[in-house]
Amino acid sequence: MSETQSSERITVFSDYVCPFCYLGRESLRQYQSTREDELEIDWHPFDLRSGKRNPDGSIDHSVDDGKDEDYYEQAKQGVRRLQEKYDVEMDLDIATNIDSLPAQIASYYVKEHYDYETWLAFDVSIFEALWQDGADIGDEDLLVDLAEDAGVDGDEIRSALADDALRSAVREKFTAAKRQGITGVPTFAYDGHAARGAVPPEQLERLVEGT
């Protein structure tokens, strides 16, 4: 695995199906545009559907996770408010029926085996496919296409998605995040401090620069 030399990295816990993760990344992009030096993203996967996930990896939508219609309506309102604040166009407000586990496995594989810029291009394309195009990022063929566009061998993605050991490793990342006290996403962490939610660029600046 090759590494890009960077003076600073910000840790980001996120799940592709979380609209606030997409909006939070836009906030981070806006903050990054004000910096002279690159701030690399050290991405850690997080599974929002873990409480509904069956042993075979499928999602049981009948499981009551406490998120009713009022919850989703409030979430949609929050998404729309932040869309306006950050000037972001989105095709969807909520993606309740999309399974992000395949995308997270593929992204984790690319992060571990390719350089940072390749991973970042793939990562951004997954977010945009879902939130800009309304595409199913749980679809293997879509992930292969996105990976190839980023310069990754598509057959490697197919192999990664069929790799039980890799799937287990990603699930362990979810468990490890919870052990670290991560209860929701996005969570941005830097130098022992954290900010949760799609916080504005100025709050990310305070997190990183202490100003």
Side-chain angles (χ1 to χ4, degrees):
M1 179 179 65
S2 60
E3 291 280 353
T4 301
Q5 294 300 315
S6 175
S7 58
E8 290 187 282
R9 304 176 85 190
I10 185 170
T11 299
V12 181
F13 295 85
S14 67
D15 185 340
Y16 291 111
V17 295
C18 168
F20 298 103
C21 291
Y22 180 61
L23 290 158
R25 284 291 294 277
E26 172 59 22
S27 176
L28 179 58
R29 187 197 67 77
Q30 291 181 15
Y31 162 54
Q32 295 234 45
S33 69
T34 69
R35 291 174 54 90
E36 291 184 6
D37 300 323
E38 181 180 20
L39 183 66
E40 281 195 5
I41 296 167
D42 181 19
W43 169 70
H44 289 244
F46 192 88
D47 187 17
L48 287 173
R49 306 278 159 78
S50 60
K52 292 187 170 187
R53 197 174 296 287
N54 295 315
D56 65 357
S58 63
I59 297 175
D60 182 356
H61 290 286
S62 69
V63 173
D64 183 6
D65 59 1
K67 297 178 179 178
D68 56 14
E69 289 185 10
D70 287 342
Y71 170 87
Y72 285 114
E73 185 53 43
Q74 289 181 11
K76 288 178 182 180
Q77 291 176 11
V79 168
R80 292 167 191 150
R81 178 178 57 81
L82 289 175
Q83 276 184 260
E84 183 175 344
K85 181 175 182 178
Y86 297 153
D87 192 23
V88 176
E89 293 291 333
M90 293 173 66
D91 185 69
L92 302 174
D93 293 321
I94 298 290
T96 55
N97 295 317
I98 301 292
D99 184 9
S100 65
L101 184 57
Q104 299 206 60
I105 291 171
S107 186
Y108 182 75
Y109 173 84
V110 173
K111 183 174 186 280
E112 292 296 299
H113 292 87
Y114 284 80
D115 61 78
Y116 174 73
E117 294 301 334
T118 300
W119 168 78
L120 184 62
F122 183 49
D123 167 79
V124 168
S125 73
I126 295 171
F127 269 121
E128 291 183 346
L130 176 58
W131 297 110
Q132 294 288 337
D133 303 330
D136 180 3
I137 59 169
D139 181 74
E140 180 177 308
D141 290 337
L142 173 65
L143 293 171
V144 167
D145 288 344
L146 296 177
E148 289 179 341
D149 288 344
V152 177
D153 186 328
D155 288 337
E156 291 183 34
I157 296 300
R158 294 192 191 278
S159 295
L161 292 175
D163 186 339
D164 289 338
L166 182 61
R167 183 176 294 258
S168 295
V170 172
R171 284 182 164 176
E172 175 54 33
K173 286 289 182 181
F174 301 152
T175 303
K178 290 182 177 179
R179 282 200 301 264
Q180 293 178 57
I182 306 301
T183 58
V185 288
T187 295
F188 301 91
Y190 184 88
D191 194 25
H193 300 280
R196 178 177 163 187
V199 296
E202 54 270 22
Q203 188 169 340
L204 293 173
E205 180 181 7
R206 288 194 298 272
L207 175 67
V208 174
E209 302 176 26
T211 56

